[in-house]
Every structure is written in structure tokens, then in C-alpha cells.
Amino acid sequence: MRRIRSRAALAAFAAGALALSACSAGDLGSSDSGSGTTITFLADNSDASLKTAEALAKAYNARNTGVTVKVETRPQGSEGDNIVKTRLSTGDMTDVFMYNSGSLFQALKPEQNLAPIDDQPYVGDLDGTFKTTVSAGGKLYGVPFGGATGGGMLYNKAVYAKLGLQVPKTWADFMANNAKIKAAGIAPVIQTYQDTWTSQVIVLADFHNVSAAQSDFATQYTAGKAKYASTPAALKSFQKLQEVHDAGYLTSDFASTKLEAGIKHLADGTGVHYPMLTFAVGTLVGQSPDKVKDVGFFALPGDDAGKNGLTVWEPAGIFIPKTTSGAKLDGARKFLAFVASKEGCDAVAKATTPFGPFLVKGCALPADVAEPIKDMQPYFDSGNNSPALEFLSPVKGPSLEQITVEVGSGIRKAPDGAALYDQDVKKQAQQLGLPGW
């Protein structure tokens, strides 16, 4: 996988390496009533993205505002990226479009190609962290396309209750819990290295702790000045991966297990902790609906309980290109205002399974949402969350999942893995033409 992305792209990530399908763009929204303004809305063709886009268009069109939204589709992955960038550069973009937030958003040259929305009345209701991932040059450009996704530990609450364990706020407490779980004859940590992308989660979900220890790491990392092997807080991410293996805390089948089998371990209580992103709750609901109540979620612990917080994969955004003008621009602004409202959030919640909290003030998760998703909300209410590194930096080496499999399997030690990843990152940064590399 090129990178673990926001919720829309996570539909492909959930399968580990789904083949990227390509289909011709087509209208999926309501038909034009013959009056008023019609605006086109481009989204990728993943199932999660289409359900979200169609739900927003349908709910908005039902409001009879005189603006009709029609959904068009594009492929996922690099082919879809090229389509978005080409249409922006040629002035042929749809009136609004969905695309990644974070570093990939910056690659769209937003100040040149997008219309800012700072003057819109709803921007104060948007989550502050999300706004940083869709801003450039001091201007805000997008609203969230669905909810956030958290990276951390899914855990079996039933086993925790049986053994009298508390949710850990530090890594030392987490390892102490693991020792008690192993003493009870249960595997403390599930890993699923047959799906190699899952091996990255401990390293990537630890970024809130890295940032808490060194607030400028993302900036220095992008500039080629901070390295994983030579930055103590970042090196710890690899050391944590090694520690759970060396302590003998992994499920015995970690090398040959896939995501679905890992979720079964978790649901059945034959494994207690599963480093994972919260989108996998959808697999839990599908496979073991009667066990969902037994599963919870907590952020990957760091060294300081007072700085405990969640690493967040921010949702994609919805943007307006500068080529949208006149009545269509007015309609596009009204549509974004609807998306960034309680009514918009409710439309998405009815059509999809939320993977995390909505990032709009006044939006609440459905009462029947799974417990792991509810467990994320306090990290947002308290502000104790940080974007994953890939939303702050374009630098992510393509070989991370192979390196983390080696470190997590005891084949390579953490310092060697971090140093190897620094070499992998250097090649990628040079290909991007970044200064300082």
C-alpha cells in the first residue's frame, strides 16, 4: 500500500491490497428537475465513498433548494489521482469534488486551483485538527467527507473484565497488562502478518506520542533533518513493535494470519489486543455481531499518561475548484454548508457505518454505533488527538510494511529496521524532489 489514507480510501485499505477498479464516470445522483442549478460532484468509486456521496446528494436534493447535485465517479488510486490533477490543470473539474486531506491535498496546489471557504459561516464548527489538513497559505479549502478513523488497540473488554485490567495510559502499563494476560493462558497481542500492511499499525499509530515528545518532528522529517533511527521518540515506535514479539506476547499464528482471522481471535477472546485502525470494526460487525459488545478501543500508549492521546486518520475533504463560478459557485457553497451540518452528518450516518466521530460541531454518532467507535469520542472531546504523520508530510517509504514485518517477527532489531526505513524514505523523498535530501 502506498499509504494508509483517510476514510474514503480506507475501503480499499481494509482489504489490504484490493485491486483498484476503474469505471467510467457516470451520473449517480438525482436527475435534473429541469429548473434551478445543477452542480456536479466527483467522488472515487469505492463502495464507502459512493455510499457517502450518494447519501449527501440525495439528502441535499430532497431539501428542494433549487440546486440539484449529481454525483460522478472516478477510479481510485493513482489513476484517480491523475484524473483529479489533470482536470484541475485543464479547467475541466466538476463543480465540487472529494479528495484526500493532508499531504496529498497539498499536492493539488490549492492556492492556485481551489476556492477558499474561510468566509463561510460554518467554518467555526469544523474540527480544528481537520482544518489544518485542508488549509494552505492561511486559507481553508474543504469540509470533511465523513468521519475520522483512529489508530490504536482494539481490545477484548470481556477478558479485561475477567482479569480485572484497566485501560492502559502508558506503554509500561500496557506491557504489564500483557504479562497478566499471558499468565492467564491467553495470547496478549494479535498480529496478522499474512496481510503485510497490518504490520505497520503500531509504528504509524504511535505518531501522537512522537509528536507529543517532539512537536516539530513532522516538519523536520519532511526537511530531511529528523530521522527515525536518530530521533529517540520515533525509534520507540519500532522498539514497541519489537518488544511485543520478544516478550512472547503474540498469537502463535501471527505470521500466517490475515485480518479476518485476527478479528476472530479478538472477538473470541483467544487474543486480547489487536493493533488496528477503527475501520476494521466493520469486519467485526459482519463476522461476529454477537461479540461486538465485548470489544473496545484505546489509543496506543506512550511514556507519559498526561499526554495520552489518539493518532487520527483524517477524512477526505470536499473542495470547490476555482473554475466553479456564478450560480454554480453559489450552489456549491450551499452544498458544502449542508455537508458541514448536522443534517449532512445524519445523512452519512444513515447510509454508512461510521468508523469514528464526525468532525463537525453538533454532529453526534448514532446511539447504536459499535463500542470501539464510541471509545474514540473522548479523545476528540478533550482535544487529545493528532493527525497521522502522512497527513503532515508527503514522505512515506514504500517498504515500511516489509520492514515492520521483519521487526515484528524478530528477524530484524528495531534500530536496524528504523535505519533501513530511513534509507527507504530518502529514496522516496528524492523522487518527490524535496529539498534537504
Side-chain angles (χ1 to χ4, degrees):
M1 295 294 295
R2 185 178 64 175
R3 57 181 66 228
I4 301 178
R5 288 313 302 166
S6 56
R7 194 180 73 81
L10 280 166
F13 172 58
L18 279 178
L20 298 179
S21 59
C23 67
S24 300
D27 293 335
L28 296 169
S30 301
S31 60
D32 194 346
S33 63
S35 62
T37 301
T38 296
I39 61 172
T40 50
F41 174 22
L42 183 66
D44 75 57
N45 62 9
S46 69
D47 182 64
S49 294
L50 285 183
K51 285 181 178 178
T52 300
E54 291 174 331
L56 288 168
K58 181 179 179 180
Y60 184 73
N61 292 341
R63 291 165 61 91
N64 299 314
T65 59
V67 178
T68 299
V69 177
K70 286 188 174 182
V71 179
E72 296 183 4
T73 62
R74 62 168 175 83
Q76 306 165 55
S78 58
E79 183 180 357
D81 287 350
N82 289 335
I83 288 173
V84 169
K85 291 172 183 176
T86 298
R87 295 188 70 168
L88 284 173
S89 65
T90 60
D92 188 39
M93 179 50 78
T94 52
D95 301 309
V96 295
F97 67 101
M98 157 260 179
Y99 193 71
N100 300 95
S101 55
S103 59
L104 294 182
F105 156 78
Q106 298 293 339
L108 295 183
K109 300 178 181 178
E111 294 171 88
Q112 175 182 321
N113 292 314
L114 305 182
I117 59 172
D118 302 78
D119 60 345
Q120 298 302 296
Y122 57 79
V123 297
D125 293 335
L126 302 182
D127 176 78
T129 302
F130 172 77
K131 288 197 284 189
T132 66
T133 68
V134 290
S135 295
K139 296 289 186 180
L140 178 69
Y141 290 94
V143 299
F145 183 74
T149 300
M153 288 284 173
L154 294 172
Y155 74 105
N156 190 291
K157 297 170 69 174
V159 174
Y160 257 54
K162 180 180 179 181
L163 299 180
L165 302 178
Q166 300 296 317
V167 170
K169 295 292 182 68
T170 68
W171 185 255
D173 289 342
F174 173 69
M175 293 298 280
N177 281 359
N178 285 332
K180 293 176 182 177
I181 294 165
K182 185 176 181 180
I186 307 171
V189 180
I190 302 160
Q191 289 285 27
T192 51
Y193 290 168
Q194 187 66 26
D195 280 330
T196 55
W197 58 265
T198 67
S199 68
Q200 306 172 82
V201 175
I202 284 181
V203 169
L204 297 180
D206 196 41
F207 184 69
H208 176 85
N209 299 316
V210 177
S211 183
Q214 184 172 328
S215 60
D216 66 344
F217 178 82
T219 302
Q220 296 299 315
Y221 172 74
T222 304
K225 298 178 180 179
K227 310 293 183 183
Y228 268 91
S230 58
T231 303
L235 176 58
K236 283 182 181 178
S237 301
F238 284 87
Q239 291 171 332
K240 290 174 180 177
L241 188 62
Q242 178 185 330
E243 285 175 18
V244 294
H245 171 272
D246 290 355
Y249 288 157
L250 299 184
T251 43
S252 60
D253 58 356
F254 72 89
S256 59
T257 305
K258 288 180 172 288
L259 170 72
E260 292 78 10
I263 292 293
K264 181 170 174 49
H265 273 309
L266 179 69
D268 292 344
T270 53
V272 180
H273 299 116
Y274 189 16
M276 186 44 59
L277 275 69
T278 53
F279 78 88
V281 173
T283 302
L284 172 67
V285 172
Q287 285 187 179
S288 305
D290 58 326
K291 300 290 184 66
V292 174
K293 66 182 184 302
D294 291 338
V295 176
F297 174 81
F298 59 83
L300 198 77
D303 293 334
D304 185 348
K307 295 181 179 179
N308 181 245
L310 178 65
T311 300
V312 176
W313 273 254
E314 301 288 340
I318 300 180
F319 308 98
I320 304 174
K322 279 189 175 178
T323 48
T324 303
S325 61
K328 288 183 177 290
L329 176 58
D330 183 60
R333 287 174 173 165
K334 290 179 179 177
F335 179 59
L336 262 64
F338 172 74
V339 173
S341 70
K342 183 179 184 301
E343 292 77 10
C345 295
D346 289 346
V348 173
K350 289 178 182 178
T352 65
T353 300
F355 299 146
F358 292 107
L359 302 183
V360 178
K361 185 178 179 180
C363 291
L365 290 167
D368 60 351
V369 74
E371 288 298 318
I373 308 306
K374 291 180 182 178
D375 289 344
M376 292 175 63
Q377 190 65 55
Y379 297 105
F380 289 88
D381 293 341
S382 64
N384 293 325
N385 65 86
S386 303
L389 178 58
E390 62 196 64
F391 292 90
L392 303 173
S393 172
V395 182
K396 184 175 186 290
S399 299
L400 178 59
E401 63 191 68
Q402 285 77 34
I403 296 169
T404 47
V405 164
E406 292 183 345
V407 174
S409 301
I411 298 170
R412 186 184 297 274
K413 296 299 183 182
D416 291 340
L420 184 60
Y421 185 53
D422 285 335
Q423 296 174 24
D424 189 45
V425 161
K426 181 177 180 179
K427 295 176 184 177
Q428 200 249 5
Q430 289 175 339
Q431 290 175 354
L432 292 173
L434 298 177
W437 292 85

